[in-house]
Amino acid sequence: MTETTPPQINQKLQIQTWWFTALLIAVNVGLFGWQILSGVNITDPTPVDAIAWGADFTPLTFTGEPERLFSSMFFHFGMIHLMLNMWALYIFGSVAEQLFGRSYYIGLYFLAGLMGSVLSSYLSIRDGYELLQQFDPKLLPHISAGASGAVMGIGAALTVVSLFPPLPQQRFWLDKKSLLMIMGINLVFGFTVSGINNAAHIGGMIMGALLAATWYFSQKTQNKGLFQIIALSVGLLLLAAFYWYCTALSAGLNPLWHEILRQNQSTF
């Protein structure tokens, strides 16, 4: 994520109205501090440390450790990576938590983050078939981590809402031009700067946009709560279906994954 300016709001934010966002920031910062105290490099963690702290590494994720899709959302590759993500999380999350309601916001955050992780894994699996042709265990799949998939999901959600006419009871006025520019800049950086996991960004954005559009139209129904539960359930089913597809797709790579892990067992 790049530094951003906050969407314009019509009142001062009070922390009790966005405490879950504050909790997410505290957890990410706390874990990062714990990692540093444990000896992880503050600016450039090694692949070994990243994997040890739960980063997404396809040979492990799809051979018995699917929890890495979740844990990778809380590991960051250095102080700058953490600071940019947490700043963006504050900017977007403090508004989104109040706009969407805490329960829906929580579901949106984690579904977007997980969708980003799965899309990133899908690309690793696709690249794995190219590695399989060479069968060179020294050519390791990429290691991914960070909250940016979830954060970009929130940013996309706010952007989608800004495109629609404001709702009668909408608490915040969202600057459509600023949000579109922010999201566009982040995508351009992702495509042009090496080391950025743009797949996670795009996966998070897709899920965030879908859930935001559903939320917006739910506000025009009498059964808002039921409509939103259905929307989150559909989002979860889409995520599960995509994960199942990736699992089935990766089955042909198991010999390569096991060989990579065997030859690098002293490292991992």
Side-chain angles (χ1 to χ4, degrees):
M1 294 291 294
T2 56
E3 284 196 15
T4 60
T5 54
Q8 298 185 32
I9 56 177
N10 60 17
Q11 64 183 55
K12 184 177 179 180
L13 291 173
Q14 299 177 339
I15 194 168
Q16 62 266 30
T17 61
W18 55 278
W19 64 261
F20 189 79
T21 299
L23 177 63
L24 285 172
I25 294 172
V27 169
N28 277 278
V29 172
L31 284 173
F32 185 78
W34 186 10
Q35 291 156 14
I36 301 309
L37 292 174
S38 300
V40 177
N41 190 294
I42 193 171
T43 59
D44 188 21
T46 65
V48 175
D49 285 332
I51 292 172
W53 283 90
D56 182 16
F57 183 56
T58 307
L60 289 174
T61 302
F62 284 88
T63 55
E65 300 182 17
E67 65 275 6
R68 288 181 177 275
L69 296 170
F70 178 83
S71 61
S72 62
M73 295 167 58
F74 295 93
F75 179 85
H76 289 85
F77 292 103
M79 178 68 78
I80 294 177
H81 188 207
L82 174 74
M83 290 176 63
L84 290 176
N85 275 340
M86 293 305 100
W87 173 245
L89 177 55
Y90 162 70
I91 295 300
F92 291 145
S94 58
V95 173
E97 185 170 346
Q98 297 180 78
L99 179 65
F100 296 115
R102 184 162 295 119
S103 296
Y104 198 81
Y105 167 76
I106 292 171
L108 190 156
Y109 180 89
F110 287 112
L111 285 174
L114 288 169
M115 181 60 81
S117 295
V118 176
L119 182 58
S120 177
S121 294
Y122 166 76
L123 294 183
S124 287
I125 294 168
R126 188 190 64 182
D127 292 343
Y129 278 98
E130 296 181 8
L131 296 179
L132 187 60
Q133 295 177 2
Q134 306 174 52
F135 209 90
D136 186 353
K138 295 180 181 179
L139 299 175
L140 298 178
H142 72 270
I143 300 169
S144 61
S148 55
V151 173
M152 289 290 280
I154 299 172
L158 292 174
T159 303
V160 166
V161 173
S162 76
L163 300 177
F164 295 117
L167 295 164
Q169 302 301 320
Q170 188 169 312
R171 295 184 61 187
F172 300 100
W173 178 79
L174 302 173
D175 188 338
K176 175 175 61 178
K177 292 182 179 179
S178 293
L179 284 165
L180 286 171
M181 182 177 66
I182 291 166
M183 301 306 291
I185 289 174
N186 277 282
L187 282 177
V188 170
F189 266 95
F191 283 117
T192 58
V193 178
S194 62
I196 296 179
N197 188 357
N198 216 28
H201 292 182
I202 294 172
M205 289 174 65
I206 292 172
M207 180 62 78
L210 289 174
L211 291 178
T214 307
W215 173 87
Y216 180 87
F217 290 107
S218 77
Q219 300 305 297
K220 299 184 177 183
T221 67
Q222 294 184 347
N223 296 317
K224 298 178 184 178
L226 177 61
F227 200 92
Q228 291 174 18
I229 290 173
I230 293 174
L232 291 174
S233 298
V234 171
L236 182 61
L237 287 174
L238 289 173
L239 174 66
F242 190 27
Y243 171 76
W244 177 85
Y245 172 75
C246 289
T247 301
L249 187 64
S250 70
L253 295 173
N254 283 339
L256 175 64
W257 297 156
H258 290 308
E259 185 63 16
I260 286 175
L261 295 174
R262 187 187 68 80
Q263 292 206 14
N264 295 276
Q265 59 184 345
S266 61
T267 301
F268 301 147

